[in-house]
Amino acid sequence: YHMQVSRQDVLDVTMCPSQHEMPHFSKFSFTPRNILLKESPCFVLKMMQDLGFIDTFRIKQDILVRFILYVRKGYRDVPYHNWSHAFSVAHFAYLALKNFELVEKGYFTQLEALAYFISCLCHDIDHRGTTNSFQQQSNSVLASLYSSEGSVMERHHLSQTICTLNTEGCNFLESLSKDDYVKCLDLIKDMILATDLASHYKIHSRQLTLAQEGYDKTQPEHRYYLASLLMTCADLSDQTKDWAETKKVAQLIYAEFFAQGDLEKKMGKTPANMMDREKASIPDHQLEFLTQCCICIFRILATIFPHAKVLVDAIKQNILCWESSKRIFEKFKLEGKTSYEVLVSEE
Ligand SMILES: Cc1nc2ccc(C(=O)NCC(C)C)cc2n2c(-c3cc(OC(C)(C)C)ccc3Cl)nnc12
Ligand SMILES: [Mg+2]
Ligand SMILES: [Zn+2]
């Protein structure tokens, strides 16, 4: 359901601190989740201006602002997969474009850069806080729509993105040439579908070999895998920030996972351990996720972009913090506390 975005809403978006007052805004250590939510649409606009998209594609500001506000409205109030996740993922895209000089060095064309930034902003639109497998289990409407092709949620996020573009007064891409418009939507499709965990595992080994063989910008296959890798890195970028941030994000993720587990119990189903607030061991599960999934992805990124080494180091630091916090979790477990209670109480 789309409440109208008022003219005043569109005008309000032009007020937020300039980046000059926030010198570390374009550093990897910056934590976008600390930006005031009411100022976030304005920061999206500023990032797009700074990346040169407005000038290169002659984007009309009021149409772009309306699009951003509708995208924000398209996100639900769930613990993790909400607008602040979308904003932080888009901020990482901004950091990658600037710090790796993706366009300047020919890894991305300006159009691919625009598609990357917009895909990050829109990649989880209308997420319900439940996983793809939950869609199948619960025979949700989305499963009936998309389960034959897989990536159920991601296909829905893509469809919501297109619908938002087609909403009256929101299609800021209309100023693109016909070819660029078609190409941009094609890129957005590939990029949003790349954020499905399942499809990530399918292409992970291929990404590893091509990074080791030497990334070749002239090969379309290489460009596709780099775009997928950059989407996954952006989606996981919370894990490259400091420990305080990582702990806060874990609380949000498990609030969402356990809410799904509670729902599955009500449906008479047995949730996976990591979805069960009584059984989950958060430090162990996070260590597994960081060491088996997260750090591997950022290591591939660092083979292509040496600057990304700081991101791998940040994840290593968080792994150490989860290791040392394990003892605290074990101690409280003996006193009958669940690991979620420890996570949210631990200061
Ligand atoms: C801190 C952190 N822990 C996680 C622990 C487990 C899982 C998980 O999905 N386990 C599989 C089960 C559910 C079938 C994901 C986690 N996770 C993600 C994440 C990444 C995603 O997809 C990409 C980006 C492609 C990996 C998609 C969705 C999510 Cl929530 N983001 N942060 C996290
Ligand atoms: Mg997603
Ligand atoms: Zn996401």
Side-chain angles (χ1 to χ4, degrees), residues 275-302:
M275 302 283 186
D276 189 334
R277 62 177 78 251
E278 303 306 323
K279 292 182 190 156
S281 166
I282 293 174
D284 292 322
H285 184 242
Q286 279 304 293
L287 282 167
E288 184 192 341
F289 183 76
L290 289 181
T291 53
Q292 306 303 318
C293 174
C294 218
I295 200 164
C296 313
I297 293 166
F298 281 90
R299 280 215 171 95
I300 298 177
L301 190 72

Side-chain angles (χ1 to χ4, degrees), residues 10-273:
V10 174
L11 293 174
D12 287 352
V13 173
T14 48
M15 265 100 73
C16 69
S18 71
Q19 277 111 302
H20 320 304
E21 298 155 54
M22 314 174 75
H24 55 298
F25 180 76
S26 52
K27 295 280 176 289
F28 281 121
S29 55
F30 187 77
T31 51
R33 287 175 175 276
N34 297 328
I35 291 278
L36 290 174
L37 279 193
K38 67 177 171 38
E39 289 179 349
S40 57
C42 176
F43 273 98
V44 173
L45 188 62
K46 288 233 183 301
M47 287 191 275
M48 291 182 74
Q49 280 162 343
D50 191 31
L51 292 168
F53 295 149
I54 313 296
D55 298 340
T56 309
F57 299 105
R58 290 189 305 287
I59 293 172
K60 294 203 195 74
Q61 175 146 317
D62 61 316
I63 298 181
L64 175 59
V65 165
R66 196 172 294 107
F67 173 78
I68 295 167
L69 292 175
Y70 266 100
V71 169
R72 180 175 67 169
K73 204 173 290 306
Y75 279 87
R76 296 193 184 195
D77 183 18
V78 288
Y80 179 75
H81 285 103
N82 51 41
W83 168 253
S84 71
H85 169 59
F87 179 74
S88 65
V89 172
H91 179 260
F92 182 86
Y94 169 77
L95 294 181
L97 286 163
K98 278 183 85 83
N99 289 278
F100 302 147
E101 297 185 285
L102 294 178
V103 175
E104 297 80 346
K105 298 221 165 113
Y107 289 99
F108 272 176
T109 62
Q110 269 280 36
L111 191 69
E112 286 164 335
L114 174 66
Y116 175 45
F117 185 85
I118 295 301
S119 299
C120 284
L121 198 67
C122 301
H123 83 284
D124 274 332
I125 289 188
D126 197 34
H127 201 291
R128 289 91 195 276
T130 53
T131 59
N132 278 336
S133 53
F134 182 81
Q135 304 312 317
Q136 326 275 25
Q137 300 294 326
S138 60
N139 283 316
S140 72
V141 172
L142 297 183
S144 56
L145 276 173
Y146 303 118
S147 64
S148 51
E149 290 112 296
S151 305
V152 172
M153 285 315 300
E154 292 72 25
R155 288 186 191 284
H156 179 57
H157 303 318
L158 173 64
S159 137
Q160 291 295 99
T161 303
I162 308 293
C163 286
T164 306
L165 274 172
N166 292 334
T167 302
E168 181 63 36
C170 292
N171 199 334
F172 70 97
L173 292 175
E174 68 197 359
S175 50
L176 266 57
S177 69
K178 183 96 182 66
D179 289 3
D180 274 358
Y181 185 81
V182 171
K183 177 84 189 137
C184 193
L185 288 197
D186 231 17
L187 289 163
I188 289 172
K189 174 171 183 266
D190 287 347
M191 289 176 178
I192 290 183
L193 292 184
T195 61
D196 174 13
L197 197 55
S199 53
H200 157 71
Y201 284 128
K202 270 186 224 131
I203 64 174
H204 180 64
S205 50
R206 184 76 193 104
Q207 282 169 332
L208 191 56
T209 41
L210 73 84
Q212 285 160 343
E213 278 161 16
Y215 179 77
D216 176 357
K217 300 171 198 165
T218 60
Q219 285 199 46
E221 189 211 16
H222 284 211
R223 297 180 78 88
Y224 167 76
Y225 284 124
L226 177 64
S228 309
L229 184 73
L230 283 162
M231 284 305 292
T232 320
C233 288
D235 209 352
L236 293 170
S237 54
D238 287 322
Q239 302 311 309
T240 66
K241 309 296 181 184
D242 60 41
W243 173 238
E245 204 67 12
T246 302
K247 226 168 37 178
K248 266 191 276 180
V249 164
Q251 289 172 16
L252 302 177
I253 287 212
Y254 286 96
E256 211 170 270
F257 282 174
F258 294 155
Q260 174 176 321
D262 296 345
L263 215 50
E264 287 167 334
K265 287 176 188 170
K266 283 200 192 90
M267 290 157 58
K269 297 192 187 296
T270 315
N273 274 3

Side-chain angles (χ1 to χ4, degrees), residues 243 281-288 319-333 339 342 346:
W243 173 238
S281 166
I282 293 174
D284 292 322
H285 184 242
Q286 279 304 293
L287 282 167
E288 184 192 341
I319 287 171
L320 289 177
C321 291
W322 278 115
E323 289 286 2
S324 62
S325 77
K326 257 179 87 164
R327 281 179 270 291
I328 303 171
F329 277 79
E330 242 91 74
K331 187 169 78 70
F332 280 107
K333 194 171 177 185
S339 62
V342 179
E346 196 193 19

